[in-house]
Amino acid sequence: MFSLRRPFRVVQQCLLALLLHSTTCLGQAGQSGCLSFTLGDLSNVTLSRATYYAANTTVNSTNLWQSIDVDNLPAFCRLELSITTNSTADSSCVTEIWLPDSWNGRVLTVGNGGYAGGGASLTCSSSFAVAGISTDTGHSSTATDGTWGGPHNDNTIVDWGWRAMHLSVVVGKEVVKQYYGEAQNTSYYMGCSTGNLDALLKLKEVQMFPEDFDGVIVGSPANWQTRIQDWSVHMNLNVQPNTSARFIPESVWVDVIHPEVLRQCDAIDGLADGIINDPRFCDFRPEILTCRPGQNESTCLTLAQLGAVHRIYTDYYEFNQEWINGRYYPGGETEYPLGLVGKPFIGGQEWFQYFVLNDTQWKLEQYNASLIPLADGIDPGQANAIERNLTSFAGPGHNGKLLQYVGWADQLISPGNSIHYYESVYAFTRAYTDLDINDFYRLFTVPGMNHWYVDISGYSANAFGGVQQASAGMPPLSLSPENNVLAAMVQWVEEGVAPTSFVAVHYNDNNVEDGVAFTRPLCQYPTSLRYTGGNETDAGSFECGDSI
């Protein structure tokens, strides 16, 4: 449990971007309309509570996912619903819809993180005239607790995997229409306080229900859920147990491996600044760190550790050279031991215990390659979102837009996962359609940035309006499409102007109050960022090119 008092204050600045292209409030409501609201012809939906909050009223609410305690919101109506997700199993999800008195015609959906169950706060939506939708995905838990998944709780896993979110969006839009007397103009997804699974869910929505959203922003999504869990356990076992000769202490990652990675690769992009702009060009040779006879092993790598490092920086293949998932890329060593190559990865263990095997005694060390096709075949909750054909979402009938970003130093999900999905969609689109992927799907890479929803501690230009960046004290440089991904998405959907790059900012000590340290462009994949000369702290001294 954590307090989001500070995040709301800053995230509101980010969500203001949704107003940049709107001058007229389409809907007007108030206390009487809120408290007297009744559901129209909506089957399997119950209105549990309607609460009206006047402007600047204290809003205090807590669940296992998050808590809120704010008093700076404009007037809005909070509707709490129960939606039947499976009448045969008598299962349901709790969904909230926040409806501001002044509405600009947009709907914004937010969600949970990891295994979490508990509605996400919709403060960001109500703050800026956007109707907001959130759901607990059919269960109550923290983000790291997967025990609710079993044994044999398959129906709830389906709710978590996709069903509760989709039904909440469908019902939420209808409630918005009933409440304001007209349907929304556009529907977006952009998380205010979400995790990697929520990004997965939005890709699932794009693939299964293309009409749900007009614009979707995802950061490093866990879209191939089964393979990412396989890879996470594989990565963990490269060093576990911590009593083994292959285990690498955090101090070795930070003080030995990372400096050597920078020494070998930092200047490849034209500037030695502590950031590897595109680690695909880094051919890291860890052998130079091999321990000499009698050397203090805290300052070097043993042969067992050297083997682990090679596996960690290599894509994971199994069976007949089948690709399972990507790798850690050189440059993120300060966070890698806090990700998957440090302590035992309990999230992966619970995945197999409660979602795949229904065996609560299963342990990480029992993992083997036979579990890969087993998990793929089960696909718990039908959560895998790997469909390459996005024509229903992107084609002329809908013209949906997908904007994705990933940090090259992601310590929880390999950047290779985002690249693999993008390339698979690219190949399918080119082979089977007349569409241009640039018209509907763009991927941006962020040099040096860690995973997109945790505490962002990487030394990088990591503030561009992405999820939870503002909540960590790092708002975008401005609310314009040049600096803010949400504003860019609104402009792309509503004006047809697609983003080509962003200017991101790094604040001193990752805190806006300490001032700007430097700015950098974020490049559209597959281009790479390179230094062209001039002021090293200014984005104008860099450009995106086809190669370094």
Side-chain angles (χ1 to χ4, degrees):
M1 186 70 62
F2 54 91
S3 172
L4 295 185
R5 182 186 296 272
R6 182 185 181 196
F8 295 155
R9 184 174 63 250
V10 186
V11 169
Q12 289 167 2
Q13 302 171 13
C14 169
L15 270 294
L16 181 60
L18 278 175
L19 290 184
L20 293 180
H21 304 279
S22 177
T23 58
T24 304
C25 287
L26 302 179
Q28 296 290 333
Q31 182 173 7
S32 61
C34 174
L35 299 181
S36 63
F37 179 76
T38 56
L39 292 172
D41 185 19
L42 279 175
S43 59
N44 298 317
V45 182
T46 301
L47 175 60
S48 305
R49 182 185 304 169
T51 308
Y52 183 78
Y53 295 90
N56 302 318
T57 300
T58 297
V59 182
N60 188 304
S61 180
T62 298
N63 59 51
L64 288 178
W65 165 231
Q66 63 181 221
S67 61
I68 61 172
D69 185 6
V70 295
D71 58 6
N72 59 349
L73 302 180
F76 73 99
C77 177
R78 177 181 181 180
L79 301 181
E80 299 171 66
L81 310 176
S82 176
I83 302 175
T84 300
T85 56
N86 185 336
S87 56
T88 302
D90 193 27
S91 60
S92 63
C93 67
V94 175
T95 297
E96 293 203 17
I97 306 171
W98 290 19
L99 303 154
D101 278 9
S102 295
W103 177 55
N104 65 10
R106 298 185 179 105
V107 169
L108 174 69
T109 301
V110 301
N112 303 333
Y115 294 129
S121 166
L122 296 169
T123 307
C124 53
S125 64
S126 63
S127 297
F128 295 106
V130 182
I133 301 170
S134 171
T135 177
D136 68 353
T137 70
H139 71 282
S140 179
S141 77
T142 65
T144 57
D145 177 15
T147 58
W148 56 266
H152 302 290
N153 200 4
D154 297 342
N155 185 67
T156 301
I157 295 175
V158 172
D159 283 346
W160 165 83
W162 63 269
R163 188 166 56 196
M165 177 63 69
H166 171 63
L167 292 176
S168 295
V169 172
V170 172
V171 170
K173 287 182 177 180
E174 179 59 30
V175 169
V176 166
K177 182 179 180 180
Q178 292 181 12
Y179 187 80
Y180 292 115
E182 55 187 300
Q184 82 284 340
N185 293 327
T186 48
S187 174
Y188 294 94
Y189 162 71
M190 174 65 178
C192 298
S193 180
T194 61
N196 61 322
L197 180 69
D198 189 55
L200 176 156
L201 290 172
K202 296 309 164 286
L203 280 182
K204 193 73 175 179
E205 293 282 307
V206 166
Q207 295 167 14
M208 291 181 65
F209 308 105
E211 297 295 325
D212 280 2
F213 301 109
D214 300 296
V216 172
I217 301 172
V218 293
S220 192
N223 59 296
W224 202 343
Q225 182 70 198
T226 56
R227 294 295 177 89
I228 285 174
Q229 295 287 0
D230 293 328
W231 171 79
S232 298
V233 175
H234 161 78
M235 290 287 280
N236 201 227
L237 292 177
N238 282 327
V239 296
Q240 285 294 325
N242 60 9
T243 55
S244 68
R246 62 183 178 270
F247 182 76
I248 304 172
E250 181 179 353
S251 60
V252 174
W253 281 107
V254 174
D255 300 327
V256 178
I257 302 176
H258 185 60
E260 181 60 26
V261 167
L262 293 181
R263 190 191 70 80
Q264 293 186 28
C265 297
D266 190 7
I268 291 176
D269 52 35
L271 179 65
D273 59 352
I275 305 172
I276 299 176
N277 286 340
D278 193 334
R280 292 177 297 172
F281 295 93
C282 175
D283 188 15
F284 175 49
R285 180 173 173 255
E287 283 77 8
I288 200 168
L289 296 173
T290 306
C291 292
R292 303 287 295 181
Q295 185 175 353
N296 185 335
E297 292 185 357
S298 67
T299 64
C300 55
L301 293 175
T302 66
L303 292 179
Q305 291 172 327
L306 185 64
V309 167
H310 273 293
R311 292 189 295 273
I312 288 166
Y313 287 114
T314 301
D315 281 15
Y316 179 28
Y317 287 86
E318 282 286 2
F319 306 113
N320 297 319
Q321 287 301 298
E322 181 180 3
W323 185 86
I324 306 303
N325 215 306
R327 59 187 173 109
Y328 272 173
Y329 285 80
E333 294 75 24
T334 60
E335 289 295 313
Y336 291 164
L338 303 179
L340 301 174
V341 293
K343 62 184 180 180
F345 181 56
I346 301 304
Q349 179 170 287
E350 291 189 348
W351 168 260
F352 284 101
Q353 286 178 333
Y354 299 106
F355 289 70
V356 177
L357 299 174
N358 291 303
D359 178 2
T360 61
Q361 302 304 308
W362 187 88
K363 302 300 181 185
L364 287 170
E365 56 267 24
Q366 296 176 254
Y367 175 80
N368 62 77
S370 69
L371 295 175
I372 297 174
L374 176 65
D376 281 346
I378 296 172
D379 186 13
Q382 297 125 50
N384 279 343
I386 55 176
E387 174 59 58
R388 301 173 299 164
N389 183 359
L390 300 185
T391 52
S392 295
F393 173 74
H398 186 61
N399 293 314
K401 311 299 181 188
L402 174 59
L403 192 158
Q404 186 172 339
Y405 62 87
V406 64
W408 278 122
D410 195 314
Q411 77 277 29
L412 294 180
I413 300 177
S414 171
N417 175 69
S418 286
I419 293 171
H420 183 271
Y421 181 66
Y422 175 87
E423 293 287 24
S424 69
V425 175
Y426 178 91
F428 181 93
T429 302
R430 186 177 178 88
Y432 295 104
T433 79
D434 294 327
L435 299 175
D436 182 347
I437 194 171
N438 274 314
D439 291 338
F440 67 90
Y441 183 8
R442 298 194 175 204
L443 170 64
F444 294 84
T445 55
V446 188
M449 191 178 80
N450 305 139
H451 194 59
W452 66 292
Y453 82 102
V454 298
D455 182 24
I456 303 168
S457 58
Y459 180 67
S460 65
N462 51 12
F464 48 90
V467 176
Q468 284 206 349
Q469 293 169 356
S471 69
M474 300 176 295
L477 196 62
S478 79
L479 299 177
S480 71
E482 179 186 20
N483 303 124
N484 186 295
V485 292
L486 182 55
M489 174 56 79
V490 171
Q491 186 179 56
W492 194 8
V493 169
E494 299 182 14
E495 299 179 20
V497 179
T500 56
S501 67
F502 299 96
V503 175
V505 59
H506 178 79
Y507 297 106
N508 291 306
D509 296 323
N510 282 316
N511 191 330
V512 63
E513 296 177 359
D514 293 331
V516 173
F518 58 86
T519 57
R520 292 281 192 280
L522 303 184
C523 297
Q524 182 182 349
Y525 177 83
T527 62
S528 299
L529 184 66
R530 56 193 175 195
Y531 176 64
T532 58
N535 184 351
E536 298 176 4
T537 67
D538 184 75
S541 301
F542 299 80
E543 68 177 12
C544 299
D546 292 334
S547 66
I548 292 179

